[in-house]
């Protein structure tokens, strides 16, 4: 598209200043697109120093959603709990406040987030209360019926094979176990320019239709709206949903 626009304008005569403005406009658009793609890529798979910054930002902006998901798990003493896509896992301490003698297992696609999570939660790791691993986003390398509870927050947009991953979650969950799926609503997410890259957006209805293709039973669905702070310091309304499922 940029090439065809340049070809078209090359046949026209412009003053030097106008030609410069056109090229600046094109360069700006290209730069904006690359920056948006870079943001989307870091949100999906944090890497490098920018990845650490992004992870810290995600933890701060998502903490209410994460706590909401954890609280809906109804954690009991002695539970083994799995989280998919934990980021820097700064919220794990909150999880351990829910009950005694629980074990937390975290799976991440990002090697950087795996390392960050282990560092932030090094005390829980050394006490063999928290276990972190890297996975491919499709296959959960644990035996059948291993976990009492499973949750994930703001990862569904990046699932490469949603039905396969849901079947894996179902497989490793114990009978009558719960899975909490928490995500920001499509109506909000589509207002963010970077979500046009790498993201598959979901409304509550779309997520429910996906779940209906699996053996999971929907226990209940809860939607909330919260105020979140933008990079410019403004507060905007973010609608998010938690769907509680049972095996």
């Amino acid at each position: 598209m940029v090439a065809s626009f340049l070809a078209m304008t090359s046949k026209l005569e412009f003053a030097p200043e106008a030609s410069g403005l056109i090229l600046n406009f094109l360069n700006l658009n290209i730069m904006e697109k690359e920056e948006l793609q870079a943001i989307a890529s870091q949100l999906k798979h944090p890497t490098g120093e920018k990845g650490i910054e992004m992870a810290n930002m995600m933890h701060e902006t998502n903490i209410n959603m994460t706590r909401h998901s954890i609280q809906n798990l109804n954690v009991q003493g002695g539970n083994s709990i799995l989280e998919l896509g934990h980021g820097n896992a700064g919220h794990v301490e909150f999880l351990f406040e829910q009950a005694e003698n629980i074990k937390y297992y975290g799976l991440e696609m990002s090697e950087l987030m795996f390392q960050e999570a282990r560092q932030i939660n090094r005390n829980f790791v050394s006490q063999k209360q928290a276990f972190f691993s890297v996975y491919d986003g499709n296959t959960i390398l644990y035996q059948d019926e291993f976990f009492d509870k499973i949750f994930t927050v703001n990862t569904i947009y990046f699932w490469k094979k949603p039905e396969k991953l849901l079947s894996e979650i179902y497989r490793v969950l114990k009978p009558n176990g719960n899975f909490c799926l928490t995500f920001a609503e499509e109506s909000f997410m589509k207002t963010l320019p970077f979500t046009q890259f790498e993201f598959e957006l979901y409304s509550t209805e779309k997520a429910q239709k996906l779940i209906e293709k699996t053996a999971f039973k929907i226990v209940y669905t809860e939607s909330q709206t919260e105020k979140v702070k933008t990079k410019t310091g403004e507060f905007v309304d973010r609608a998010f949903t938690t769907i509680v499922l049972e095996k």
Side-chain angles (χ1 to χ4, degrees), residues 92-93 96 120-130:
V92 168
E93 185 173 4
F96 280 111
I120 289 171
N121 297 284
R122 56 191 177 278
N123 290 337
F124 295 126
V125 171
S126 65
Q127 294 165 17
K128 298 192 184 305
Q129 292 176 284

Side-chain angles (χ1 to χ4, degrees), residues 58-59 61-73 83 86 90-92 94 151-154 182 226 238 240 242:
M58 285 192 290
H59 171 70
T61 58
N62 294 337
I63 189 60
N64 187 51
M65 293 177 68
T66 303
R67 288 179 174 177
H68 186 263
S69 198
I70 290 170
Q71 287 166 339
N72 275 282
L73 284 174
E83 181 181 12
H86 50 68
H91 54 273
V92 168
F94 176 78
F151 73 107
T152 190
V153 180
N154 282 332
T182 302
E226 62 175 344
R238 174 170 66 182
F240 73 90
T242 294

